[in-house]
Amino acid sequence: MDILRRYPSLRRPGWSDFVALTAGAVLPLAFAPLGVFPLAVLAPALLFALWAGATPGRAAWRGFLFGLGQFGVGVGWLYIALHEFGDMHALLAFPMLLLFIAFLAGYPALLGWLQARWRGWSRKVVYDTDETSPERIALPAPWWHVVLLLPALWVLLEWVRGWFLTGFPWLDLGYSQIDGPLAGFAPLLGVYGLSAVTAISAGLVTQMVRDRPRAVRYLGVLLLLWFGGWAAGQASWVEPEGKPLRVALVQGNVELDKKWSTHYRSEIVQRYADLTLAQHDVDVVVWPEAALPATLEELQEGFMQQLEQVAAERQMELLIGVLEREVIDGRRTYYNSVLSIGPHPGVYRKHHLVPFGEFLPLHSLLRWLPDYLYIPMSDFSPGAAVQPGLRVAGRIAGISICYEDAFGEQVRRSLPEATFLVNVSEDAWYGDSWAPHQHQQMARMRSLENGRPMLRATNTGVTAIIDHRGVELARIPQFRVEVLQGQIQPMQGKTPFVRFGNTPVIVGALLVLGITLVRSRRRNETERRI
């Protein structure tokens, strides 16, 4: 029996649309900092039910409303960066945020439209009882439409969102499961595979309600899937490499309104120098992204030599976030970099730059924007797409800067040579919002996928030490000047995700689409003969 016939009130388009918006708004609660991970199953399950029998247009509208709720609540913190720290007037910042959220909401809208069109229309049609808003309702979708096709489309659109227009992978469904039983699938299939099994779980829940006579079967498959995730989490894909490293992560907690003022430059440099000089008996010291508010050549003469001398005397390595400037053919080029100071000096230059924050996309169309948005040092050049890991304390470290750790395939490039990961970030742009905690959750996923511990140093938090299973071992409270000391165990070996990346999940989703398309056409041909 179709869920719309079981619950007639859901057949009222206005009510159903409101429920779709609410379900989307609830979904971000499944992510950090709240982490109510079952909501990542229940919210999409409700959306799947609301799509049952809806026309392509209505399904797209409900998907759009769901996306407005999801991204409106989940990434509304972008307003802080635009208005409070970017000095953009509220009358401009708020509409720009709404446009961005509407753009992101287009993904679930497209998903809703595609799944309705994919299903096709039966010749047997009934109409909604609400005469003011008639709605065409097709025969109930088969189980494979809800349990396989919808999750496949969901994952493919998440994947597209992760690279289209440089990508924005925030709130991918799989991240919500980092502390749940399904997390065991992450080393096997990565975050998109985790999104897939989460969406499949949502489809099974929907089917349990739609098809009561077979509810026990769907429940059995759901329990088997979640038990499989737990069991996979017990497997060990990597092994220790050498002795543990003693580490110190420096959180300078420099306010953004001071960081780029030359008046406070000496004070900030001295703060990091003092915090570093206080460290003894450590192998690695890590500073945050762009910790020094100046290019290397602008620092006081002898400062870098002092750091090199300290590193040599105490037999420790320094990884510091710095800005580099090169002059090539009279043109100045800036890089957001991590510099290694020690026996094996080296540099990593950020490749995946933040649109509007570090470069201006569509410059010919948006060249007016910098007049209304103040973001210092926002004209960087990207480093090479593939760069060797830095040798730190005798091991290879996989480096990422800022939201580069949100892109699993990019972090994976340093594997299997890298035995641990390092991420340096500046999340002060988002204040005391959910953004730093969501970012930290994504960093944990990178450790779990790749089977490597991570050192994560930020200016205002979250600064943390993460083990190779994605478990946060220690952190510094946000907005404190403090140094986090601890140990990590470098690891070696390859998880299945390191070996194959996202390819198995994306190919599998495409195969599901092809198979379900053939079955859908055959089903419609059969119905036309009736």
Side-chain angles (χ1 to χ4, degrees), residues 90-168:
L91 294 178
L92 182 59
F94 190 67
M96 286 197 65
L97 175 63
L98 290 181
L99 285 174
F100 183 64
I101 291 171
F103 168 75
L104 295 176
Y107 286 97
L110 178 60
L111 196 162
W113 185 85
L114 285 173
Q115 63 86 29
R117 293 296 299 174
W118 211 283
R119 177 178 163 193
W121 287 104
S122 168
R123 294 174 66 184
K124 297 182 178 181
V125 178
V126 296
Y127 290 89
D128 194 283
T129 55
D130 184 354
E131 296 181 356
T132 62
S133 182
E135 180 175 5
R136 202 166 48 160
I137 302 176
L139 293 176
W143 68 267
W144 42 265
H145 182 95
V146 179
V147 177
L148 296 178
L149 177 64
L150 290 180
L153 284 170
W154 189 294
V155 168
L156 285 174
L157 287 176
E158 278 194 350
W159 174 67
V160 171
R161 179 159 59 86
W163 57 261
F164 182 62
L165 297 179
T166 78
F168 189 77

Side-chain angles (χ1 to χ4, degrees), residues 315-385:
Q315 297 183 337
M316 65 183 184
E317 305 267 358
L318 301 180
L319 291 176
I320 63 175
V322 296
L323 305 179
E324 291 185 286
R325 181 172 66 181
E326 287 185 346
V327 179
I328 302 176
D329 297 330
R331 179 178 178 272
R332 293 180 178 181
T333 303
Y334 294 89
Y335 298 98
N336 189 351
S337 306
V338 169
L339 187 67
S340 173
I341 300 176
H344 301 91
V347 64
Y348 170 82
R349 290 172 171 172
K350 186 177 182 181
H351 170 72
H352 201 133
L353 302 178
V354 180
F356 305 104
E358 293 175 316
F359 78 102
L360 184 64
L362 304 174
H363 190 273
S364 60
L365 296 176
L366 300 174
R367 57 178 178 269
W368 54 271
L369 188 58
D371 294 335
Y372 300 93
L373 179 64
Y374 172 70
I375 297 181
M377 303 302 297
S378 57
D379 187 20
F380 287 100
S381 296

Side-chain angles (χ1 to χ4, degrees), residues 406-462:
F407 301 89
E409 286 286 359
Q410 179 165 339
V411 173
R412 172 177 166 265
R413 293 172 188 165
S414 64
L415 278 291
E417 290 77 17
T419 59
F420 67 99
L421 305 174
V422 176
N423 175 259
V424 298
S425 292
E426 172 63 278
D427 287 339
W429 286 100
Y430 311 109
D432 189 12
S433 69
W434 288 358
H437 305 281
Q438 293 171 352
H439 194 181
Q440 169 71 358
Q441 189 174 53
M442 300 168 89
R444 293 176 57 198
M445 184 62 70
R446 300 289 86 83
S447 287
L448 180 58
E449 288 174 337
N450 296 288
R452 297 295 190 270
M454 177 182 285
L455 304 177
R456 190 157 185 274
T458 70
N459 176 28
T460 58
V462 177

Side-chain angles (χ1 to χ4, degrees), residues 270 299 389 468:
Q270 192 61 47
L299 296 173
H468 69 285

